[in-house]
Amino acid sequence: MKVSFNWLRELVDIPWTAVETSEKLAQLGFPVESLRSVGIQVTDVISVKILSISKHPNADRLQIAQVTDGKQEYSIVCGAPNIAVGQIVPCAVPGAKLPSGIEISISKIRGVESQGMLCSERELGLSGEHAGILQLPSMAPLGREVKDLLGGGDAILDIEITPNRPDLMSHVGVGRELAALAKKEIKWPSTKIKSTPKKSKGLVHIAELSLCSRYRGQIIRDVKVGPSPDWMQQRLLSCGIRPINNLVDITNYVLLEWGHPLHVFDLEKLLGQKIIVRKAHQGEKILALDEKTYELTPDDLVISDEKNAVAIAGIMGGQVSGVSNSTTNILLESAVFDRVCVRKTSKRLALRSESSIRFEKGTDSFTAEKAALRAVQLILDLAGGILAECADEIPLKGKPHAVTLRSKKLEALVGIKPSDKTVLDIFTRLGLSPKLTKSGWVCKIPDYRKDLIEEVDLIEEVVRFMGYDAIPAKVSRISLGTISEKYRQWESEPLIETLRGLGFSETITTTFCSMPQFRKLGVGLPEDQLVKLANPLSQDESLLRPNLLINLIKAVQLNLNHQASRVALFEIGNVFQKAQGEIQESKKIACVFAGLLSQKGIFSEESNIDFFSIKGFLERLRKTFQADWQVAPTTKYKELHPHQGLVVNWRGQEIGLMGMLHPTLANTLDIHVPCGFFELQASVFQVKRSIHLKPLQKFPFVERDVAIVVEKSTEWKKLHEIIMQAGGNLLQESTPFDIFEGGSLNPSQKSIAFRVKLQHGDHTLSESEITSTVDNIKKALQNTCGAQLR
């Protein structure tokens, strides 16, 4: 929303500069996207009258103009071809500094002294036009600063308005906010007319009561169509609207001022000289003001005369009923149309206008009346005319809306307790007519504040106008022990940060895939559970993806084809499949790693990703998020390496899989480097878990190695569980670090070495404690799985 700072200052005595005002608006929740200066910014450029013109003695294309400011004469050398005796033109006198940076001083041009410079629009910073000198109005007083005659420097603030605040899409709306913040009174736009005495019952008929809550039609006779005054044109241009004529310009001016769309009909072009608000007939067409013909449907609301549609309600008027230079009698429309109806019609017709934008966000009856009276006043002032009949149909009058704010709720949400006086003052400045009660405040909500619906909305108003800086920052104190439930929450960001820390890069792939892709990476899903698109854009996007791996592996292919030596990607996204005839959507997390795990360096060898690296990444996630899932070997998935694949189980259900890509599949996909992956249900990270905080250990730990010989079929996980159980409270960690087969061992045996970490929180371990714990571990391994000590 573009607003003029000068215009705002007419409405409110703003105590800040334009830059400071933009900062204040940002503090209120409406950041200013851009701030630009317009209009004439320079001083010492005055209006002068050309008294005489003579040829330059030393240059064919130059002339010498003798000008006066009413008190003093100047001799000016000028090369513009359009100057003539008697013209009033702008003259930069010595001392003036133009927007281009040129400083004016007395100088000689081809041997003739020039005491200033006659200025074009470009030299004044008004536009890029420089073909001739700018001509001022013939009645302009001499010796006046041109910036005062044409409108001095202004600043245009482009404000980002949130969708729930349509009242701020106007100068009055922004002015109300600034007035409340600055504790100033707003100066309402001048309107002497309070109402229209002549009422007409047959002038307006609303056939669709649910789609039009108010329609005000005012007839004005004997108007004179012509150009609007310079000040109005200047303001329209500065806000991005092209001036047309005084009647249209007035409706646009009031639109910018009050934020409510208006429309002017040529009364003589309305059949029967009446207005009907109805739905369009099937196939009905209208030639709009943009010179395009639109075909309407019964879902569209139109403004009609006795026979034809003359406007698309809330969007654009029709050309047939539009005003022209010969118009003398008009009907001024100010209405409130259903926002949903306007939005649907605007979208279907691909037709958006300043009016439709505001109707889509919501308009109100209060502003509709204020805008109508203001427009009538301006029409009488600038186009003449006589007030005639008026119709004001309000089929559905809204009930006054009140919202109660409890002081305890305000304190609970904000964290501080403002005084009753402070809150009352804020609500009063906002025009909410507050009343203090025993429990808080009751506010009457104005029609134009459609965003104030419930208690929290009033709390937001208090915080906005107190200032967010007024709320002290408090750091919650958390004691050691189990973290309270209120501090536990799951968000994707911690998971994302953890994966980034492991070296993965986040990616977002398409939600679609193809049948050939699925047949290669379907991960065991039957084809009858696929979600197929009825009208795919291409065969490559004929399915909704059943898993994330399909497109992540495709991304790996793309990166490897571009000579990447290492590809590590992850994605968190939704997947789709059918179950019992219904489409189910779930969120998953998937990671793929292909190529080099580490580069060759001075002290390190080059190594590729392998099964244990992928399993290590998964284990890191398990520990970080305290997930209690378990892994088990599997051979049921054709995508996994036959000896390097695991399924992930959680609470008795399979939630994912991990491992290395099957060599045959990798060769088919043209992936010639090791590639590992895992995919899990994201729900496993959403479960709130008991988190326990412990202080850093003060006493040293001790490590011992335990090497045993067991049968090859014995899983290391089982050995790990035995060790952890036998180690008791002193055992902190158990890590396998070596495995050996062959040599002196039987073919059915293997040797595994574990490193155990022992530590106590209250004292340094004695040798007897260490020996006793290690012996317990050894005995447990011997008794439980027949392990032999090495």
Side-chain angles (χ1 to χ4, degrees):
M1 171 66 191
K2 292 182 175 64
V3 299
S4 159
F5 185 61
N6 285 348
W7 199 341
L8 287 176
R9 287 197 298 183
E10 287 184 7
L11 298 170
V12 183
D13 184 16
I14 299 176
W16 312 296
T17 64
V19 174
E20 291 170 336
T21 300
S22 67
E23 294 171 353
K24 298 292 183 184
L25 287 169
Q27 292 172 12
L28 291 175
F30 309 104
V32 176
E33 295 181 349
S34 65
L35 175 63
R36 62 184 178 89
S37 299
V38 296
I40 299 175
Q41 308 289 321
V42 295
T43 56
D44 295 325
V45 177
I46 60 175
S47 55
V48 298
K49 183 176 183 179
I50 299 178
L51 300 176
S52 64
I53 299 174
S54 59
K55 291 184 177 181
H56 193 291
N58 303 320
D60 294 336
R61 296 186 178 181
L62 297 179
Q63 302 178 87
I64 303 172
Q66 200 70 21
V67 302
T68 179
D69 62 4
K71 295 180 180 180
Q72 181 180 349
E73 292 189 7
Y74 302 87
S75 179
I76 311 292
V77 176
C78 178
N82 68 325
I83 59 173
V85 174
Q87 289 178 343
I88 308 296
V89 295
C91 177
V93 297
K97 186 174 181 178
L98 301 181
S100 61
I102 297 176
E103 293 188 22
I104 303 300
S105 60
I106 298 176
S107 60
K108 286 190 176 183
I109 301 177
R110 293 287 185 95
V112 175
E113 184 178 82
S114 182
Q115 298 172 325
M117 177 181 177
L118 302 186
C119 300
S120 65
E121 291 185 18
R122 185 172 73 174
E123 287 153 350
L124 294 176
L126 290 174
S127 71
E129 180 61 43
H130 66 287
I133 300 302
L134 173 65
Q135 296 183 33
L136 300 175
S138 59
M139 300 301 292
L142 300 181
R144 293 280 299 277
E145 288 278 356
V146 173
K147 66 182 182 69
D148 296 332
L149 295 175
L150 297 182
D154 193 6
I156 302 300
L157 293 79
D158 193 353
I159 307 173
E160 183 179 328
I161 306 298
T162 53
N164 68 327
R165 292 298 303 272
D167 60 298
L168 291 186
M169 297 191 70
S170 66
H171 284 76
V172 167
V174 176
R176 273 193 297 243
E177 289 279 302
L178 293 174
L181 184 63
K183 300 183 180 180
K184 303 283 186 179
E185 293 292 329
I186 189 166
K187 306 168 189 175
W188 300 106
S190 174
T191 304
K192 298 176 183 177
I193 298 173
K194 303 301 180 184
S195 62
T196 304
K198 297 181 180 180
K199 305 294 182 182
S200 174
K201 292 185 178 180
L203 181 60
V204 172
H205 171 63
I206 302 177
E208 297 294 334
L209 301 181
S210 63
L211 301 181
C212 180
S213 59
R214 185 170 191 175
Y215 194 102
R216 192 180 192 282
Q218 173 69 64
I219 293 177
I220 306 176
R221 301 184 184 277
D222 298 331
V223 298
K224 294 181 180 178
V225 179
S228 56
D230 292 340
W231 61 267
M232 181 175 283
Q233 293 190 35
Q234 191 68 33
R235 284 195 169 171
L236 292 176
L237 287 169
S238 66
C239 293
I241 296 179
R242 179 175 59 88
I244 298 175
N245 59 51
N246 51 3
L247 295 180
V248 176
D249 291 354
I250 286 170
T251 60
N252 286 331
Y253 183 85
V254 175
L255 174 74
L256 295 174
E257 186 176 66
W258 277 98
H260 191 86
L262 305 171
H263 186 66
V264 177
F265 295 100
D266 188 325
L267 184 63
E268 304 304 323
K269 297 176 182 178
L270 297 176
L271 187 63
Q273 295 193 354
K274 65 184 299 184
I275 288 293
I276 301 172
V277 183
R278 62 170 173 83
K279 286 189 175 181
H281 305 311
Q282 183 64 48
E284 188 172 12
K285 296 181 180 181
I286 183 172
L287 177 62
L289 289 173
D290 62 356
E291 298 184 351
K292 295 181 180 179
T293 299
Y294 295 93
E295 185 171 337
L296 307 174
T297 71
D299 291 330
D300 304 323
L301 189 67
V302 297
I303 310 302
S304 172
D305 57 19
E306 285 189 340
K307 184 178 180 181
N308 302 312
V310 293
I312 308 172
I315 301 176
M316 188 171 288
Q319 201 168 76
V320 173
S321 61
V323 297
S324 63
N325 291 335
S326 60
T327 298
T328 56
N329 300 323
I330 62 170
L331 185 144
L332 176 68
E333 169 195 279
S334 181
V336 179
F337 300 116
D338 180 70
R339 56 191 294 184
V340 176
C341 179
V342 173
R343 181 172 65 249
K344 287 183 177 179
T345 299
S346 175
K347 184 177 180 179
R348 187 182 65 79
L349 298 177
L351 177 61
R352 297 206 62 179
S353 63
E354 290 292 335
S355 294
S356 69
I357 290 171
R358 286 164 172 81
F359 278 118
E360 287 174 19
K361 295 182 183 298
T363 54
D364 63 274
S365 184
F366 170 83
T367 309
E369 182 176 4
K370 292 292 184 182
L373 295 176
R374 173 64 166 161
V376 168
Q377 182 69 65
L378 289 172
I379 290 172
L380 296 179
D381 292 343
L382 304 179
I386 302 171
L387 280 182
E389 298 89 345
C390 175
D392 194 358
E393 299 294 327
I394 311 177
L396 300 173
K397 291 188 178 181
K399 295 180 180 180
H401 177 50
V403 177
T404 300
L405 171 60
R406 295 164 293 169
S407 56
K408 289 184 178 179
K409 184 70 171 180
L410 174 62
E411 183 180 2
L413 285 186
V414 178
I416 59 175
K417 186 177 182 180
S419 67
D420 292 346
K421 183 180 178 181
T422 298
V423 177
L424 279 172
D425 179 54
I426 291 173
F427 288 157
T428 301
R429 283 186 273 137
L430 289 170
L432 303 184
S433 305
K435 286 186 179 181
L436 184 63
T437 65
K438 291 183 179 180
S439 61
W441 304 268
V442 177
C443 297
K444 292 174 64 177
I445 309 302
D447 197 19
Y448 55 82
R449 286 302 302 270
K450 297 185 180 298
D451 59 306
L452 301 181
I453 301 171
E454 50 189 356
E455 194 173 27
V456 291
D457 299 324
L458 293 181
I459 294 175
E460 182 183 12
E461 295 303 290
V462 174
V463 174
R464 285 199 308 127
F465 284 90
M466 282 182 57
Y468 294 98
D469 294 340
I471 303 174
K474 295 182 180 179
V475 179
S476 300
R477 188 179 183 86
I478 303 177
S479 302
L480 295 177
T482 302
I483 293 180
S484 171
E485 190 75 22
K486 69 180 182 179
Y487 295 110
R488 302 183 213 158
Q489 58 181 347
W490 182 87
E491 295 178 353
S492 60
E493 196 60 33
L495 179 58
I496 291 173
E497 291 301 319
T498 301
L499 290 169
R500 286 174 178 168
L502 293 174
F504 291 89
S505 298
E506 185 177 11
T507 186
I508 299 176
T509 63
T510 179
T511 312
F512 308 105
C513 67
S514 65
M515 184 61 76
Q517 284 179 290
F518 166 77
R519 286 171 179 160
K520 291 177 182 177
L521 285 159
V523 193
L525 185 71
E527 287 193 14
D528 60 359
Q529 294 184 19
L530 291 174
V531 180
K532 300 178 181 179
L533 299 182
N535 297 298
L537 296 177
S538 68
Q539 290 303 313
D540 291 338
E541 298 182 339
S542 59
L543 306 173
L544 287 178
R545 64 185 178 191
N547 60 60
L548 300 178
L549 291 174
I550 286 180
N551 290 322
L552 278 178
I553 294 295
K554 187 176 179 181
V556 169
Q557 289 177 283
L558 178 65
N559 281 272
L560 292 176
N561 289 340
H562 284 76
Q563 298 181 324
S565 59
R566 163 191 171 130
V567 183
L569 303 173
F570 78 91
E571 181 174 9
I572 302 174
N574 293 337
V575 298
F576 310 85
Q577 68 181 72
K578 283 183 181 179
Q580 298 178 349
E582 294 186 357
I583 298 175
Q584 294 185 346
E585 182 177 356
S586 61
K587 190 178 291 292
K588 286 192 175 184
I589 162 71
C591 299
V592 293
F593 201 125
L596 293 179
L597 180 64
S598 62
Q599 301 277 358
K600 184 176 182 179
I602 298 176
F603 303 107
S604 62
E605 293 295 324
E606 182 178 276
S607 64
N608 284 321
I609 189 73
D610 58 19
F611 171 77
F612 296 103
S613 302
I614 293 295
K615 190 170 182 295
F617 292 139
L618 192 63
E619 182 67 12
R620 179 69 64 86
L621 287 181
R622 189 189 69 79
K623 288 185 177 181
T624 301
F625 292 93
Q626 295 189 335
D628 55 353
W629 66 59
Q630 300 83 35
V631 295
T634 183
T635 57
K636 71 176 182 177
Y637 293 109
K638 62 180 179 60
E639 294 84 1
L640 290 171
H641 191 290
H643 305 297
Q644 298 179 9
L646 300 174
V647 292
V648 183
N649 299 310
W650 181 61
R651 297 183 178 179
Q653 291 186 343
E654 185 179 311
I655 61 164
L657 73 166
M658 66 139 292
M660 301 300 290
L661 193 65
H662 196 289
T664 303
L665 177 59
N667 189 59
T668 303
L669 296 172
D670 201 25
I671 297 176
H672 303 299
V673 295
C675 177
F677 61 84
F678 60 82
E679 182 176 76
L680 303 171
Q681 292 285 351
S683 58
V684 72
F685 298 99
Q686 299 177 17
V687 178
K688 292 182 178 179
R689 302 176 180 87
S690 177
I691 300 174
H692 195 81
L693 301 181
K694 297 188 297 184
L696 294 174
Q697 293 287 0
K698 299 179 181 179
F699 299 96
F701 62 85
V702 175
E703 290 184 337
R704 293 289 186 269
D705 294 344
V706 177
I708 57 174
V709 177
V710 294
E711 294 295 317
K712 277 187 177 181
S713 61
T714 307
E715 295 181 1
W716 77 267
K717 181 182 177 182
K718 180 179 179 181
L719 300 174
H720 174 76
E721 290 173 350
I722 294 171
I723 293 172
M724 295 302 297
Q725 187 173 2
N729 295 332
L730 297 184
L731 180 60
Q732 303 297 319
E733 293 180 12
S734 169
T735 308
F737 69 91
D738 183 58
I739 186 168
F740 173 75
E741 296 178 4
S744 60
L745 297 178
N746 292 333
S748 63
Q749 293 181 319
K750 63 182 176 182
S751 172
I752 299 180
F754 288 86
R755 179 161 294 150
V756 295
K757 177 180 175 182
L758 309 176
Q759 190 175 32
H760 199 287
D762 295 333
H763 61 270
T764 301
L765 292 175
S766 64
E767 189 61 36
S768 62
E769 288 176 307
I770 298 170
T771 302
S772 175
T773 302
V774 173
D775 287 344
N776 289 339
I777 293 173
K778 292 178 179 178
K779 289 178 182 178
L781 290 170
Q782 287 175 320
N783 297 334
T784 306
C785 59
Q788 303 173 24
L789 300 177
R790 290 189 64 196

